[in-house]
Amino acid sequence: MAPARPAAQRWSPARCQFTLIAVTALIDRQLSADEEFEALALGARALTMHELSLETTQGWMQELIAIRTNQAAIWEHARKATRDFPSDPSMRRAIYAHCADMAFADRQEKKSERRLLDFIAKDLRLSRADRQKIDAVMALKNRH
Amino acid sequence: MAAPPAAAAPQRDKFDAVILDRHPRERQCFRGLTLGDAMFGLKNALALFVGAPAPDLGLLGRGKEWCVLALLYAAARSDADTLAPEEEVTLAALAMRTPTLFKLSPELYNTYLADYRELLRGRNSVSALVEAACASLPRQDGLAEAIFAQCADMVMADREVVSLEDEFLRDLASELRLSGSKTREIMQVMRWKNELREAG
């Protein structure tokens, strides 16, 4: 993982979380209404994000939508988000679980989404055991 | 869609505005309808415009969709008589995306919710709805586990699990005949998932 940037340049935890979830939704270059609703619904209920205004999360979403066909730019956002992500292991596990769930939000997990999940798990240093448990339950949850 | 709790309405209106703004095809089709209507597709939404009658549950029976939505609804209502805004949003998000429910028409969605409310009228727990749904739930591979995971996620949507919700999940696992190890595995991951908080 790259060294952390100066505090003034770092993204807030909320922005890191929202970005990772939104990038997971956008990585296949399409944003379905299901995925966008899921991302915004999460923004409304996650403890870190629920006090943000919808305008704020919408602004972040707009920024990502504007670059959705530019894979290099999308991946750069993902890298920034993991680089600035809080070091708290439980928050890292939580965001991975949300992204894994998001990858199934349109009822199919694509290769690009799997690659992104691999990257997030590795960059956030998730243990293999935790990741396997999360993947298994999210696959099970989204089966029916 | 039936009137939501007052606190939830502004939030849902905001979501409606965002989703419809971002998806112009839907905006054109669904203008004037709520998110609950918009999420089910053009064909079904148009049926609302022309005044399609509410489906008759007596004719339709209580199939898989009825059972799955019933359990999600019961999870959302397990701690109170009304839904928290987060729970309403999560219920709508789940109904929009799960393989079992995403093709459910808005008329049927509304009819089912009305049926659940009627079934729970005058009762102080959701156990009657859980029992009715579990009794009619088809025996399909992985279905009980999927529903339990969705319900656990729903219960944790408002960021805390009160004792009533904890009791609900224990009873649900029992009604769905889940093994203790599978229940613990699902609960553990759903707790992890809902642990997002301010930076520590």
Side-chain angles (χ1 to χ4, degrees):
Chain A
M1 197 161 55
R5 290 178 292 166
Q9 296 171 25
R10 288 168 66 94
W11 280 354
S12 67
R15 181 161 192 190
C16 293
Q17 290 166 16
F18 188 88
T19 298
L20 287 174
I21 291 161
V23 165
T24 307
L26 279 165
I27 198 70
D28 59 0
R29 300 171 193 226
Q30 294 172 338
L31 181 67
S32 68
D34 303 9
E35 289 173 322
E36 181 161 7
F37 183 64
E38 180 73 10
L40 293 171
L42 175 65
R45 75 175 203 253
L47 197 52
T48 321
M49 292 187 272
H50 80 287
E51 287 180 352
L52 294 171
S53 70
L54 190 59
E55 290 70 29
T56 301
T57 50
Q58 219 184 325
W60 295 339
M61 184 68 95
Q62 293 273 19
E63 193 179 312
L64 287 164
I65 286 172
I67 58 165
R68 72 183 180 282
T69 55
N70 181 344
Q71 286 289 295
I74 283 282
W75 276 93
E76 185 51 34
H77 272 68
R79 271 188 284 274
K80 268 189 197 172
T82 54
R83 190 167 53 205
D84 291 348
F85 203 88
S87 57
D88 182 325
S90 65
M91 286 183 73
R92 291 179 166 222
R93 217 168 36 194
I95 193 64
Y96 179 80
H98 278 288
C99 291
D101 205 12
M102 171 58 77
F104 287 99
D106 52 1
R107 296 169 292 282
Q108 51 186 321
E109 190 198 38
K110 301 182 183 75
K111 278 184 185 169
S112 54
E113 291 168 335
R114 173 48 54 189
R115 271 185 58 223
L116 181 66
L117 290 180
D118 289 344
F119 165 77
I120 293 171
K122 187 178 170 200
D123 232 37
L124 294 183
R125 298 180 184 171
L126 241 69
S127 77
R128 180 175 296 191
D130 285 356
R131 189 188 171 186
Q132 282 173 345
K133 281 184 185 175
I134 292 168
D135 286 349
V137 169
M138 292 311 159
L140 178 156
K141 177 186 174 219
N142 289 282
R143 189 172 160 197
H144 285 276
Chain B
M1 175 169 271
Q11 185 179 41
R12 200 179 64 184
D13 290 347
K14 278 187 175 182
F15 278 94
D16 285 347
V18 172
I19 294 292
L20 298 184
D21 188 52
R22 187 92 69 227
H23 302 273
R25 190 169 60 91
E26 283 87 344
R27 179 159 80 174
Q28 192 179 359
C29 299
F30 300 116
R31 190 170 44 216
L33 300 180
T34 68
L35 171 67
D37 305 322
M39 65 194 190
F40 295 105
L42 174 60
K43 183 181 166 191
N44 293 319
L46 287 177
L48 289 184
F49 280 122
V50 298
D56 184 343
L57 271 178
L59 295 174
L60 292 166
R62 291 176 174 177
K64 181 179 172 185
E65 291 173 343
W66 187 94
C67 297
V68 171
L69 189 59
L71 292 172
L72 292 174
Y73 181 80
R77 272 195 55 176
S78 60
D79 62 337
D81 288 341
T82 55
L83 303 188
E86 295 92 343
E87 289 167 332
E88 186 181 346
V89 169
T90 305
L91 180 64
L94 269 172
M96 192 172 180
R97 61 178 274 208
T98 66
T100 302
L101 297 177
F102 84 100
K103 287 183 179 169
L104 194 66
S105 71
E107 307 90 72
L108 214 44
Y109 183 86
N110 291 336
T111 304
Y112 286 173
L113 292 191
D115 198 33
Y116 307 148
R117 281 192 290 269
E118 188 57 35
L119 212 152
L120 292 177
R121 189 186 302 275
R123 297 176 192 267
N124 58 8
S125 96
V126 294
S127 57
L129 185 56
V130 172
E131 285 166 18
C134 289
S136 302
L137 193 69
R139 300 277 171 243
Q140 289 180 0
D141 189 28
L143 180 58
E145 288 85 351
I147 292 172
F148 185 76
Q150 290 162 13
C151 286
D153 206 15
M154 170 73 67
V155 160
M156 295 171 188
D158 58 358
R159 302 176 296 275
E160 57 179 329
V161 180
V162 300
S163 61
L164 276 174
E165 293 172 322
D166 194 43
E167 189 182 324
F168 166 81
L169 289 175
R170 279 204 311 271
D171 290 348
L172 179 62
S174 169
E175 288 282 346
L176 291 171
R177 299 178 187 175
L178 292 187
S179 69
S181 62
K182 185 58 76 180
T183 303
R184 283 191 293 277
E185 181 188 327
I186 294 169
M187 288 287 287
Q188 180 184 44
V189 169
M190 288 307 161
R191 278 199 195 97
W192 287 353
K193 181 178 177 228
N194 287 282
E195 272 178 347
L196 279 187
R197 59 180 185 270
E198 296 297 344

